[in-house]
Amino acid sequence: MTTRSSAEAARDIPEATVARLPVYLRALTTLAEAGTSTCSSEDLASAAGVNSAKLRKDLSYLGSYGTRGVGYDVDYLRYQIAREIGVTQDWPVVIVGIGNLGHALANFSGFRSRGFRVVALLDADATRTGEEVAGVRVRPFDDLEDIVGEHGVAIGVIATPAVAAQDVADRMVGCGISSILNFAPTVLSVPAGVDVRKVDLSIELQILAYHEQRKAQGETA
Amino acid sequence: MTTRSSAEAARDIPEATVARLPVYLRALTTLAEAGTSTCSSEDLASAAGVNSAKLRKDLSYLGSYGTRGVGYDVDYLRYQIAREIGVTQDWPVVIVGIGNLGHALANFSGFRSRGFRVVALLDADATRTGEEVAGVRVRPFDDLEDIVGEHGVAIGVIATPAVAAQDVADRMVGCGISSILNFAPTVLSVPAGVDVRKVDLSIELQILAYHEQRKAQGETA
DNA sequence: TCCATTTTGTTCTCTCGTTCACAAACTCCT
DNA sequence: AGGAGTTTGTGAACGAGAGAACAAAATGGA
């Protein structure tokens, strides 16, 4: 069950590598826009901010898309990574919670350009529904099930206050969403098989504060 | 140079542990607000969404703050973690780039409540300066050096478009900022000694898409 | 054609992080 | 006072990730 030998082998790519593939993809796009058609692992690695050995090892999990002595074809590699990640297809996304953050997310241009399409903005606050943000009308949260069913949404974004987040997640899971991006500062509990990724501003700041404090201590010690 | 035996020993806490301490801190705050005065590692671990053995090992890097057979005193542990992270002190922060995201960040309540204080909002766009966001006036980006010098700012937040981010980072580093939280979708290059943490919406979505695609493949295979 | 040069793909080693399992230490009940 | 029952703190085994180093494969010039 773990080994497949077909040409379309579903190799299991390490999680750390998966997290870097989008970075490589962006670096390749930048290179392509600058008119570069070929690059070495060294070039791409420095554009992505990683070690070149690590880059080559990461790419080797996808297959053997480079040419020894030459390097990588930018467009070809870009397509291969995009395909591996899944951004060659179209991913409908719902965003729940249209506060300041929800607005910022709805207006974020990186969505459309990378295979993600915001099919609905939802908010429990009835006074917000009807409002239009980034060309999409805000609808009541209770429309969630209809929208998910209609568009086949698999990815949900939670941008609500912390107290509402678990309820939203439960509803999302209940109607078939299996990947959640959570901006609310709460630990979500979801059944196995549902992926949750968390983006938490204050945690990031606190990590910086820790290191900052240590730097300061070193100076005065 | 690496070993210190004083009571105030600066143990080197693993990076993975540092990243979890803020999660524990938040879980403890929630417990305290619920009126809980004591908790076991099992309780806290489930509130934080981690394994209890990992939690105990993480806490053991800080010291021995629990009581065997009893558990941890919520308030005491909370203080110890806050002190270790450095959020018992006040951290002045500047935010550069007052677009949708900058607005959301400026309004984010988690700043103040956790020891971070937004001392300035800066934007290169002159038409935005003078505007007031979350009680702080938007000022021109060129005021950066003055503000950093005046308030002793060590942490900067970049919420500009990608093209501007590297320039902003250079200016920040130039005037003494040594920790940067970067929301722009770009790899920043900074000198050694400067910490950069990156928050990138579209990378997170792409990671989810990858796993989502694999789930779908498994079903149809 | 053959050799020097370049650059990839991969093996090996080392470090870091996670989890298990258990001794040490504390409480409570008899 | 002593033993049963909890719960922490940590040593040790295990697994994953990072980086060095090198063989394999391509190019280009003589």
Side-chain angles (χ1 to χ4, degrees):
Chain A
M1 186 58 188
T2 52
T3 56
R4 303 193 197 179
S5 53
S6 72
E8 190 66 28
R11 318 150 202 86
D12 54 327
I13 300 180
E15 196 52 40
T17 297
V18 171
R20 282 188 294 268
L21 290 179
V23 180
Y24 302 154
L25 188 57
R26 178 174 292 148
L28 285 166
T29 302
T30 305
L31 286 174
E33 282 168 0
T36 312
S37 62
T38 295
C39 69
S40 69
S41 64
E42 202 69 53
D43 296 337
L44 184 53
S46 81
V50 301
N51 180 305
S52 69
K54 182 152 64 178
L55 172 82
R56 289 199 299 277
K57 180 177 278 199
D58 283 341
L59 295 185
S60 76
Y61 291 113
L62 311 191
S64 197
Y65 296 136
T67 308
R68 297 174 193 223
V70 178
Y72 300 93
D73 181 282
V74 172
D75 286 330
Y76 181 62
L77 182 58
R78 187 153 68 116
Y79 172 73
Q80 292 300 339
I81 294 179
R83 192 179 50 82
E84 188 73 38
I85 297 177
V87 292
T88 48
Q89 54 184 285
D90 183 71
W91 293 99
V93 171
V94 294
I95 300 178
V96 178
I98 310 301
N100 283 300
L101 180 59
H103 263 87
L105 298 178
N107 281 297
F108 177 57
S109 59
F111 267 120
R112 269 218 125 83
S113 64
R114 273 167 236 286
F116 301 95
R117 185 166 43 94
V118 179
V119 296
L121 303 174
L122 305 178
D123 203 300
D125 181 356
T127 64
R128 286 195 171 275
T129 64
E131 193 180 334
E132 188 154 316
V133 178
V136 180
R137 193 166 53 86
V138 177
R139 296 173 61 179
F141 178 54
D142 283 333
D143 289 5
L144 177 70
E145 285 76 6
D146 289 346
I147 292 164
V148 169
E150 184 185 340
H151 293 89
V153 177
I155 300 177
V157 176
I158 299 179
T160 65
V163 286
Q166 182 65 57
D167 287 342
V168 172
D170 292 343
R171 286 279 290 272
M172 283 180 168
V173 171
C175 65
I177 285 180
S178 51
S179 290
I180 296 177
L181 182 53
N182 180 30
F183 286 88
T186 310
V187 176
L188 294 182
S189 75
V190 296
V194 177
D195 280 316
V196 174
R197 294 194 66 88
K198 185 177 157 186
V199 174
D200 193 316
L201 170 60
S202 79
I203 286 180
E204 299 300 324
L205 280 175
Q206 288 176 62
I207 294 170
L208 287 175
Y210 170 80
H211 292 295
E212 201 56 45
Q213 181 179 240
R214 299 213 86 198
K215 290 178 201 164
Q217 273 173 4
E219 283 162 17
T220 58
Chain B
M1 189 56 187
T2 53
T3 58
R4 304 190 198 180
S5 54
S6 72
E8 191 66 30
R11 318 153 203 86
D12 54 326
I13 300 178
E15 196 51 40
T17 296
V18 170
R20 283 188 293 266
L21 290 179
V23 179
Y24 303 154
L25 188 56
R26 177 172 293 147
L28 285 166
T29 302
T30 305
L31 287 174
E33 283 169 358
T36 312
S37 62
T38 295
C39 69
S40 68
S41 64
E42 202 69 53
D43 296 337
L44 184 52
S46 81
V50 301
N51 180 305
S52 70
K54 182 150 65 178
L55 172 81
R56 288 199 299 277
K57 175 153 278 191
D58 283 343
L59 295 185
S60 76
Y61 291 113
L62 312 190
S64 195
Y65 296 136
T67 309
R68 296 174 193 222
V70 179
Y72 300 92
D73 180 282
V74 171
D75 286 331
Y76 181 62
L77 182 58
R78 188 153 69 116
Y79 172 74
Q80 293 299 339
I81 294 179
R83 191 178 51 81
E84 189 73 39
I85 298 177
V87 292
T88 49
Q89 54 184 285
D90 184 72
W91 293 100
V93 171
V94 295
I95 299 177
V96 178
I98 311 299
N100 281 301
L101 180 59
H103 264 86
L105 298 178
N107 281 297
F108 177 57
S109 60
F111 267 120
R112 270 219 125 84
S113 64
R114 274 167 236 285
F116 300 96
R117 186 166 42 95
V118 179
V119 297
L121 303 174
L122 304 178
D123 202 300
D125 181 356
T127 64
R128 285 194 171 276
T129 64
E131 191 180 335
E132 188 154 313
V133 179
V136 180
R137 194 166 52 86
V138 177
R139 297 173 60 178
F141 179 54
D142 284 333
D143 290 4
L144 177 70
E145 285 76 6
D146 289 347
I147 293 164
V148 170
E150 185 184 339
H151 292 90
V153 177
I155 300 178
V157 176
I158 299 179
T160 65
V163 286
Q166 183 64 57
D167 288 342
V168 172
D170 291 344
R171 286 279 289 273
M172 283 182 168
V173 171
C175 64
I177 285 180
S178 51
S179 290
I180 295 176
L181 182 53
N182 179 30
F183 286 88
T186 311
V187 176
L188 294 181
S189 75
V190 296
V194 176
D195 281 316
V196 175
R197 294 194 66 87
K198 185 176 158 189
V199 174
D200 194 316
L201 170 60
S202 78
I203 286 180
E204 298 300 324
L205 280 175
Q206 288 175 62
I207 295 170
L208 287 176
Y210 171 79
H211 291 295
E212 201 56 46
Q213 185 183 30
R214 297 213 88 199
K215 290 177 202 165
Q217 275 173 3
E219 284 162 18
T220 57

